Amino acid sequence: MKADAASLLEQARHAYGQRAWADAFELFRATDEIAPLGAEDLERLLWTAGMLDRDEDSFATGSRLFDMHIEDGRGDRAAYWAFFRGFRLFALGEEGHATAWIQQAQRLADGFGRECAAHGYLVLLGAQKELMTGNDPASEGLARHALAIGERCCDTDLIAFARCYLGRALVRQGRIEEGIALLDEAMLPAADGKLSPIITGLIYCNLIASCRQVYALDRSREWTEALSNWCGSQPQLVQFNGICLLHRAEIMELNGAWQESIAEARRAARSLAHAIGNETTAGAAYQEAEIHRLRGEFAAAEELYRAASRLGLEPQPGMALLRLMQGRAGQAAATIRRVLGMTKAPLSRARLLPALIEIMIAAGAVGEARDACEELQVIADRFATDILAAMASQATGEIELSAANPAAALGHFRAALTTWQHAGAPYLEARLRVLAGQACRELGDEDSAELEFDAARAVFTELGATPDRDRVTALIAPTNSRPHGLTRREIEVLGLVATGKTNRLIATELGLSEKTVDRHVSNIFDKLAVNSRAAATAYAFQNGLL
């Protein structure tokens, strides 16, 4: 019997070293039935159960470790496992049960008689809570405290985990380079296989989330690929696989691989089947909804946005943009205003502001769009990443274009276009080309406008972005079939002139300044070679412009 147990244990340890989690789990359990596992192998069994997302088995093993350390008088180790039990229960949403275990961990750590690693993990839990409430400076202080404890206790897991939280806190305060450097440093022992497997996965996820939050796309791509390779090297892995697939789906969408993105999002949703997977499943539904929206598959998009909402995710700004595409600008405006009113964190607001600007311009609320643009610029200046700067430049260009300042607008569009080209984001690049084309047309440069529109239409056609393709096709049509050269906005103004409205009334109706309307009317007179409102109206009726 002992020989059988020794052989099985050797096989279990080998499977654990090879990260064959399902094999290791069965072998450790088989060994345990013959001869109870010692503390080190029970730890391996617990981590193995965690990597397989088997919480009940993980909790049962943790309870045995806890009791074993209590009997041996090792309050520090008992506190350690009590902490991880509580930490996992918090993630599962069982706050009452989690709090009881955390309090027990604190009592045991304090009663140990000297500082131990469990003290650091408990401090780090406080850092996490401060991050969740947006108190980033407090989180920074707690993470530094936990890091110092980890270094004094020589706990490699704690050191890396504390660096990870410290990096997140710094990034959220706008100290991007310092924060990302700490996150990278936290990943070094993880990439070298020197950390516990669960800690490794948590650090990967925290690092990628931080990079995504500040739009550090190159770094996000790099670490998503690393996470994908890490997950791929463990075919039996369950934990972390879903979030990895979701990150891959987001990168694929950005890169223009839309069908592949849908496939990865669906795989992410299928990989999780219980409550802890709701957040990832909701994210997968939202991710797929975004692509259906951009393709003009509105019914499918709405169904998936609703699915994401049922799972607890606010489906914005996607659903508001869907309403705008459906011609329901009023509802889109009400929704995006509500969500922004409930969102305080600057980086979270940065994700919503571009949608607000687009919706408000379409709804004629240019003043509100301008205020949002100014806020986005402040956030971009504070966090100083290329993508945020491009988002602010594009928004500023849209405001300038709506105010009939096409030359200024074009400069902003060109600056943003360079960034999106470097980022390898064909859809976003094509949308900027449409805006740049409109600015060129306003400046009377039809050749350049046509080049921009044609390039954008080719991308939209290849991606299957039907609404954008149809929109740019409509923009191209006037240059091919109408000799007057009026822009769409000028035709809109001309229509109101024809009703007898004054420039002031037109400005009010369109949400423009009176000065801007004066300029549009002047351009209309020049292009149509007329010198009165009556002559312009007559030309419009005679040539079918209205």
Side-chain angles (χ1 to χ4, degrees):
M1 294 289 287
K2 289 184 179 179
D4 290 342
S7 175
L8 284 171
L9 184 58
E10 182 179 354
Q11 293 176 56
R13 289 172 176 171
H14 177 74
Y16 182 90
Q18 296 298 308
R19 298 183 289 190
W21 306 115
D23 295 343
F25 181 78
E26 295 302 331
L27 287 163
F28 277 125
R29 285 215 306 185
T31 305
D32 194 43
E33 289 175 0
I34 299 171
L37 296 172
E40 289 187 5
D41 288 312
L42 277 176
E43 288 186 17
R44 294 187 180 102
L45 176 58
L46 185 148
W47 293 130
T48 299
M51 298 302 274
L52 293 171
D53 211 12
R54 299 179 66 126
D55 285 310
E56 291 305 315
D57 293 301
S58 179
F59 291 156
T61 306
S63 293
R64 288 176 61 186
L65 278 165
F66 179 84
D67 293 340
M68 186 181 294
H69 291 310
I70 290 292
E71 291 174 9
D72 292 342
R74 290 296 305 273
D76 59 331
R77 295 304 296 166
Y80 174 87
W81 291 113
F83 164 81
F84 270 103
R85 178 73 168 266
F87 187 78
R88 180 59 175 172
L89 286 166
F90 271 126
L92 291 168
E94 299 181 28
E95 293 194 13
H97 200 185
T99 299
W101 277 98
I102 293 299
Q103 288 175 338
Q104 191 165 36
Q106 189 73 61
R107 178 178 56 79
L108 287 165
D110 292 343
F112 182 59
R114 64 179 184 272
E115 186 177 67
C116 62
H119 283 112
Y121 285 103
L122 289 161
V123 170
L124 204 56
L125 182 61
Q128 182 190 51
K129 289 179 178 178
E130 296 294 355
L131 274 179
M132 292 173 66
T133 59
N135 192 348
D136 303 325
S139 180
E140 176 192 346
L142 290 169
R144 289 191 188 280
H145 184 196
L147 177 58
I149 295 173
E151 290 171 339
R152 288 193 293 269
C153 295
C154 301
D155 189 301
T156 307
D157 278 356
L158 177 55
I159 291 169
F161 212 9
R163 281 199 179 116
C164 176
Y165 274 96
L166 178 56
R168 286 187 65 188
L170 293 176
V171 163
R172 285 164 54 120
Q173 293 177 77
R175 295 153 68 180
I176 307 298
E177 291 187 11
E178 188 181 355
I180 293 292
L182 277 164
L183 288 162
D184 286 344
E185 189 176 358
M187 274 308 308
L188 289 178
D192 290 340
K194 296 178 180 178
L195 303 181
S196 302
I198 293 291
I199 298 295
T200 298
L202 289 172
I203 289 175
Y204 264 122
C205 291
N206 275 279
L207 190 154
I208 293 168
S210 293
C211 291
R212 289 173 62 246
Q213 195 170 42
V214 294
Y215 301 92
L217 296 184
D218 288 343
R219 195 65 60 89
S220 183
R221 278 197 183 100
E222 176 186 347
W223 285 119
T224 296
E225 184 64 24
L227 175 61
S228 180
N229 291 337
W230 183 71
C231 291
S233 69
Q234 306 166 73
Q236 298 172 353
L237 178 69
V238 178
Q239 186 73 274
F240 304 113
N241 200 38
I243 193 66
C244 174
L245 292 169
L246 181 55
H247 288 324
R248 281 170 53 85
E250 292 166 346
I251 295 295
M252 287 173 174
E253 182 200 346
L254 183 70
N255 292 348
W258 285 2
Q259 195 57 43
E260 293 87 343
S261 177
I262 287 176
E264 290 293 85
R266 289 176 178 174
R267 286 178 61 201
R270 287 196 300 269
S271 71
L272 297 157
H274 55 72
I276 192 63
N278 278 358
E279 185 176 347
T280 298
T281 306
Y286 183 88
Q287 179 62 32
E288 185 176 347
E290 286 287 87
I291 295 174
H292 285 301
R293 174 176 66 81
L294 296 177
R295 285 177 166 177
E297 297 157 356
F298 295 158
E302 178 144 354
E303 181 179 348
L304 285 160
Y305 285 134
R306 291 184 181 279
S309 179
R310 285 193 298 271
L311 291 166
L313 177 69
E314 178 68 73
Q316 306 302 339
M319 198 162 187
L321 291 170
L322 173 64
R323 292 290 178 253
L324 180 65
M325 295 172 77
Q326 292 172 325
R328 298 166 62 183
Q331 179 59 58
T335 298
I336 202 69
R337 284 178 181 133
R338 175 190 63 79
V339 177
L340 268 163
M342 299 171 62
T343 305
K344 305 304 179 187
L347 288 169
S348 298
R349 290 181 65 81
R351 179 173 171 269
L352 299 167
L353 288 169
L356 176 71
I357 292 163
E358 180 179 351
I359 290 167
M360 293 307 156
I361 290 175
V366 178
E368 192 171 348
R370 184 177 290 105
D371 291 342
C373 179
E374 291 172 359
E375 181 184 351
L376 183 58
Q377 185 63 63
V378 169
I379 296 171
D381 291 342
R382 176 182 172 186
F383 290 94
T385 63
D386 290 344
I387 298 300
L388 278 169
M391 290 163 62
S393 287
Q394 178 172 336
T396 302
E398 290 178 71
I399 296 297
E400 294 287 1
L401 189 62
S402 70
N405 297 318
L410 188 58
H412 290 292
F413 294 149
R414 294 294 189 210
L417 184 62
T418 300
T419 300
W420 289 123
Q421 286 174 324
H422 175 75
Y427 174 76
L428 297 172
E429 179 187 340
R431 289 205 63 176
L432 261 168
R433 288 194 177 279
V434 174
L435 291 168
Q438 289 176 286
C440 289
R441 174 170 287 173
E442 293 276 1
L443 291 167
D445 184 358
E446 285 294 344
D447 283 346
S448 294
E450 184 178 350
L451 290 173
E452 298 289 6
F453 293 152
D454 283 344
R457 184 165 59 176
V459 172
F460 293 144
T461 300
E462 182 178 354
L463 292 174
T466 304
D468 287 286
R469 183 203 63 199
D470 292 347
R471 177 169 170 266
V472 76
T473 298
L475 287 171
I476 292 170
T479 65
N480 296 334
S481 60
R482 297 173 180 171
H484 51 69
L486 296 182
T487 67
R488 188 168 57 176
R489 176 66 89 181
E490 287 166 353
I491 292 174
E492 189 175 18
V493 170
L494 178 55
L496 294 172
V497 166
T499 66
K501 290 186 177 179
T502 64
N503 287 6
R504 178 173 295 178
L505 290 174
I506 294 171
T508 300
E509 182 160 336
L510 297 181
L512 303 174
S513 70
E514 190 173 353
K515 180 180 177 182
T516 297
V517 174
D518 290 343
R519 186 176 303 160
H520 281 313
V521 171
S522 178
N523 288 341
I524 291 167
F525 286 1
D526 290 342
K527 290 179 180 180
L528 301 185
V530 298
N531 57 13
S532 71
R533 300 168 82 86
T537 300
Y539 182 98
F541 280 111
Q542 291 165 6
N543 291 274
L545 299 184
L546 304 180

